[in-house]
Amino acid sequence: MLIFVNHDDMRSLELMEECVHRGIYVSDQLNDIKYADIIYMGAKGIDRKNRLMMNTETRVIPDHIFKNLKKDCILLTLIHNDYLEELSNEYHFHYCALLDKEEFVRKNSILTAEGLISYLIVHRRYPIYHSYITVLGYGHCAQPIIQYLKAMGAQVTVAVRNKKWKDNIESLGCCFCYLKDVDLSQVDILINTIPSIIIEKEKLDLAKKDILIVDIASYPYGIDHHYALSIGLNSQILPSIPNKYAYGYAGKMIADEIERMFKNE
């Protein structure tokens, strides 16, 4: 068995090292991709112009690469890629996005939560303890973040669209709030996990001047960051936290999934 690993971030380097330790044959040379049984194409994979980030360099992947893949090989990315799914139907490979897997998402969310907590501790003059924190969203990423913040003594408000989460949120000792009713006038830290603009100019104008805004969602994010910065607020976008704060374990998680695929063959 051979695995091709595309180096597009720290996770991929750890993945390659982990595979070697487990006795799995690995290559990062594009010429070897036609021999691979499993291809890890990085976090996002290629775009619709066949461009791929490899070792901080953008490469264009020719179509013949896909035509020459081994029959029934498995191609992986972290984030779901519609274009690769289309190509998998055209050619003869199986496509899988790891963040479509429930257990992988759960573990990745824990890494994201730990990395975020680390960022908050390092970049604030005050402790999380007794801070007033509002979290936008109650999905996979938000839930461990909320649990960690409560365990550290924060006063947590969780803002969501749907009332169905009210009992769950209040059972954690948090305050429930609708997204449309978010009030930033007393909030020390605002954490967004929703990839859709929620906080616009009107709400930002009422925010405390020393508020820390942290957005861990994907584009288009959940906050008008340009406006927040223009009025002097500390507004930060933190994408791919596991790649920065826990890349060793993040690489191991991918290796575990690959090994599971080997065993299921």
Side-chain angles (χ1 to χ4, degrees):
M1 292 291 185
L2 174 68
I3 298 173
F4 169 83
V5 176
N6 171 38
H7 293 315
D8 65 337
D9 59 27
M10 292 296 293
R11 280 173 295 213
S12 58
L13 294 171
E14 293 290 335
L15 166 61
M16 193 165 189
E17 185 174 332
E18 185 71 26
C19 288
V20 170
H21 286 165
R22 298 183 188 196
I24 302 171
Y25 292 107
V26 188
S27 175
D28 58 358
Q29 300 301 306
L30 197 57
N31 289 337
D32 291 335
I33 199 169
K34 60 180 174 290
Y35 305 117
D37 300 285
I38 292 184
I39 299 164
Y40 175 69
M41 202 167 263
K44 298 179 180 179
I46 61 173
D47 63 16
R48 290 188 176 273
K49 294 184 178 180
N50 281 18
R51 294 175 298 192
L52 178 67
M53 181 62 69
M54 298 183 71
N55 290 316
T56 71
E57 177 187 356
T58 301
R59 300 275 298 275
V60 176
I61 307 301
D63 288 338
H64 71 77
I65 291 286
F66 298 103
K67 293 178 182 177
N68 294 331
L69 294 179
K70 289 182 69 173
K71 186 178 181 180
D72 296 328
C73 78
I74 301 171
L75 194 151
L76 304 172
T77 58
L78 281 178
I79 301 167
H80 193 91
N81 184 317
D82 290 337
Y83 180 52
L84 282 172
E85 188 168 20
E86 292 168 16
L87 289 177
S88 71
N89 294 324
E90 182 177 353
Y91 299 108
H92 46 259
F93 64 85
H94 300 293
Y95 171 65
C96 177
L98 294 174
L99 286 174
D100 287 344
K101 294 176 174 287
E102 187 74 20
E103 182 62 16
F104 192 92
V105 170
R106 187 186 68 80
K107 291 179 180 178
N108 196 68
S109 298
I110 292 170
L111 300 189
T112 298
E114 289 194 11
L116 176 61
I117 296 298
S118 172
Y119 182 89
L120 296 179
I121 291 171
V122 171
H123 291 86
R124 291 189 74 234
R125 295 161 51 217
Y126 300 100
I128 290 174
Y129 178 71
H130 276 195
S131 290
Y132 286 86
I133 302 176
T134 293
V135 179
L136 307 179
Y138 191 66
H140 287 293
C141 281
Q143 290 176 25
I145 290 170
I146 293 162
Q147 291 166 8
Y148 285 158
L149 292 173
K150 282 301 299 179
M152 297 177 76
Q155 304 294 318
V156 181
T157 296
V158 182
V160 295
R161 288 190 180 91
N162 199 321
K163 188 179 180 180
K164 71 177 182 178
W165 300 116
K166 187 174 188 293
D167 290 343
N168 298 66
I169 290 167
E170 292 180 344
S171 70
L172 296 172
C174 302
C175 295
F176 170 87
C177 174
Y178 288 110
L179 288 170
K180 63 182 178 62
D181 297 328
V182 169
D183 179 2
L184 301 180
S185 61
Q186 301 300 319
V187 175
D188 299 308
I189 303 171
L190 174 65
I191 299 168
N192 177 60
T193 69
I194 303 171
S196 176
I197 294 293
I198 304 297
I199 305 298
E200 300 188 84
K201 296 179 181 180
E202 296 77 13
K203 293 186 184 297
L204 292 169
D205 284 334
L206 300 176
K208 293 174 62 177
K209 293 306 175 186
D210 62 348
I211 190 174
L212 172 59
I213 300 171
V214 182
D215 200 327
I216 65 169
S218 55
Y219 183 84
Y221 316 114
I223 292 149
D224 187 339
H225 292 283
H226 291 295
Y227 184 74
L229 293 169
S230 74
I231 61 174
L233 301 181
N234 185 358
S235 187
Q236 305 293 327
I237 298 173
L238 299 181
S240 302
I241 289 177
N243 182 46
K244 300 178 179 68
Y245 292 92
Y247 49 83
Y249 190 77
K252 180 181 179 298
M253 282 169 50
I254 300 171
D256 288 343
E257 284 297 327
I258 289 173
E259 197 164 51
R260 197 169 292 118
M261 290 175 184
F262 276 143
K263 290 178 180 178
N264 288 338
E265 287 188 344

